[in-house]
Amino acid sequence: MKFHHIRTALVGGIAVLLSGNAAPSGKLCPAASAVLPQLACVESANGVVLAGDTARAQRLLELAESGVVRFKEYFGRQALRYAVAEGPDALVPPESVSALRKAGFPVVLPWISPKVYRQQVEQSIRRGLTARMAGRPQEEIDAAVLKAVEQQTNPERFARTELATVSHELGHYWFWQGYWPKSTLSEDKHYGGPSPDWLDEMSAVLMEAPVSFNDRVKQFGQRYATYRVDPQKADENTRLTVDLVNFLSETHPAHEQTKLLSQQVGGEPKNGSFKAMVFSGEEARKIIEGGARFYLQSAVASQYLIDRTGNRQIFGRIAEAFARGETMAQWLANKEPKGKLPRDLKALQADWMAWLATRFPAEAATKPAA
């Protein structure tokens, strides 16, 4: 299951970077509710959530706030003031997103309600099963769709999905609009924003709840274990998993597949608009095949950078270098302190491989049976 936002022309005004002084509690909801008065609003000192009822809004606020803490932890600056807006029956319209920005919320995340989520999961599953079960009775197809939908949208599974995705998606916007406040998004050049794709994705993965982040690390370790058994026999995707230099230069592997699928099922977003789409079943598998590696690499490479530099906020330093036009190679070579991190890409790859061998040690040899 893959929850993907197609981010297109989402900067409606000027993004203003907040200092550490957030607005007092109780001051933000009036401005947001003036835009979407039909929705319940809850707030923190950092932003607001608008949703169909207060309990739902409060849940989303907790997820967003966990991301605020992690953004400060890893980037060393306050996250931009945000508004998460969830319409119960449909995505909030683009004009409301623009109005929220003008009302003082540089980061606006249109969110998908449980009801809409279920509808889109059903649409995705129905597309796949209808093709696979062509010629079968409609009643049989409907029953298969219903069973799959129930499995994919049960409350526990939905909660796990949101635990990762709310702060993840906010992380993309905080990073992009925080370091490139006057930029506009070009999907033809980048999957996310003006940054190289790896740091854009890493900025989002770092925002995820620890349980989600740690699961990515575990999956990376499993792939690395396969690689180290016999590197020559490893498939291409497994070899790419340990290729740090490639990771630092490639376009997000899921970009083209996601773009193609979105065009096939819903068409391109019009200029100034946005979409949120849920891909499930075979559609999700196609995206996962291309993109899963990138997420796993983002998690483990972030640990490598922290370990070698001794700086949990090194990502802010790298982002500042990219914002002023440096490449990764140029940043490695500049005079900024970087702890034990090598100063060129070739040495970086060698050091990364040595670090992986320590980070994911081979299991002890199996003892002979008694």
Side-chain angles (χ1 to χ4, degrees):
M1 179 169 50
K2 168 69 176 173
F3 186 20
H4 177 71
H5 279 271
I6 303 172
R7 295 178 288 278
T8 304
L10 288 178
V11 179
I14 297 176
V16 179
L17 180 63
L18 295 179
S19 67
N21 299 318
S25 180
K27 300 294 185 181
L28 301 182
C29 270
S33 294
V35 177
L36 291 165
Q38 72 276 26
L39 299 179
C41 181
V42 298
E43 70 175 81
S44 71
N46 306 297
V48 302
V49 174
L50 302 113
D53 59 71
T54 301
R56 174 65 179 159
Q58 186 62 45
R59 167 61 178 164
L60 293 174
L61 185 72
E62 293 170 0
L63 297 176
E65 285 298 295
S66 68
V68 170
V69 172
R70 288 189 283 270
F71 192 83
K72 185 65 177 288
E73 176 183 358
Y74 291 114
F75 286 89
R77 58 165 69 182
Q78 177 68 26
L80 294 172
R81 185 174 295 166
Y82 67 86
V84 179
E86 177 187 276
D89 302 312
L91 284 174
V92 295
E95 54 269 25
S96 296
V97 173
S98 297
L100 284 168
R101 293 198 186 97
K102 292 177 182 178
F105 302 95
V107 167
V108 181
L109 178 62
W111 201 243
I112 188 168
S113 70
K115 177 181 178 180
V116 176
Y117 179 81
R118 182 184 174 92
Q119 290 172 346
Q120 292 204 7
V121 166
E122 180 175 351
Q123 290 171 7
S124 177
I125 290 174
R126 186 172 293 280
R127 285 192 297 267
L129 288 181
T130 298
R132 285 169 48 194
M133 300 174 68
R136 307 286 283 274
Q138 187 61 46
E139 295 81 2
E140 187 176 340
I141 295 175
D142 291 343
V145 169
L146 179 60
K147 181 179 179 180
V149 170
E150 292 298 331
Q151 292 174 342
Q152 298 243 3
T153 62
N154 71 73
E156 289 186 5
R157 186 164 185 169
F158 181 69
R160 288 197 303 271
T161 298
E162 286 199 320
L163 185 63
T165 53
V166 173
S167 54
H168 178 110
E169 292 299 328
L170 282 169
H172 277 300
Y173 294 124
W174 286 327
F175 173 69
W176 163 32
Q177 296 181 22
Y179 289 94
W180 290 270
K182 296 182 180 180
S183 66
T184 55
L185 179 61
S186 172
E187 292 261 352
D188 291 334
K189 295 181 179 179
H190 288 287
Y191 179 84
S195 163
D197 283 0
W198 72 267
L199 188 56
D200 180 273
E201 197 59 64
M202 190 178 287
S203 72
V205 169
L206 283 166
M207 298 305 103
E208 295 177 359
V211 65
S212 302
F213 183 93
N214 292 338
D215 185 57
R216 297 194 191 282
V217 173
K218 179 180 178 181
Q219 291 180 51
F220 182 102
Q222 293 168 344
R223 292 194 181 198
Y224 175 67
T226 299
Y227 171 85
R228 75 185 301 167
V229 168
D230 191 339
Q232 299 303 317
K233 292 184 179 180
D235 60 38
E236 181 182 11
N237 208 33
T238 301
R239 290 195 297 272
L240 286 174
T241 298
V242 300
D243 190 338
L244 183 62
V245 174
N246 178 74
F247 171 68
L248 297 176
S249 62
E250 71 177 320
T251 299
H252 197 304
H255 171 59
E256 288 303 324
Q257 186 61 52
T258 303
K259 185 177 179 181
L260 177 62
L261 277 172
S262 65
Q263 290 171 344
Q264 289 174 347
V265 302
E268 288 275 17
K270 295 180 180 179
N271 186 35
S273 68
F274 53 83
K275 287 186 177 182
M277 302 186 71
V278 176
F279 297 122
S280 192
E282 181 66 15
E283 293 172 341
R285 186 189 64 77
K286 291 179 180 179
I287 295 172
I288 289 170
E289 284 181 351
R293 167 177 58 81
F294 212 67
Y295 291 89
L296 308 188
Q297 288 175 297
S298 294
V300 177
S302 73
Q303 293 184 326
Y304 169 72
L305 290 170
I306 291 172
D307 184 69
R308 285 303 197 238
T309 63
N311 182 2
R312 292 185 70 79
Q313 297 178 350
I314 193 62
F315 312 102
R317 300 280 294 276
I318 299 172
E320 289 167 359
F322 289 162
R324 62 178 179 258
E326 292 184 26
T327 64
M328 187 61 177
Q330 290 170 331
W331 177 77
L332 287 172
N334 74 24
K335 295 181 179 180
E336 293 178 11
K338 300 178 183 67
K340 298 179 181 179
L341 196 68
R343 293 303 187 116
D344 65 77
L345 291 171
K346 183 177 180 180
L348 188 75
Q349 177 65 29
D351 185 64
W352 157 256
M353 294 302 294
W355 181 85
L356 286 179
T358 302
R359 176 67 180 82
F360 301 100
E363 294 182 5
T366 303
K367 295 181 180 181

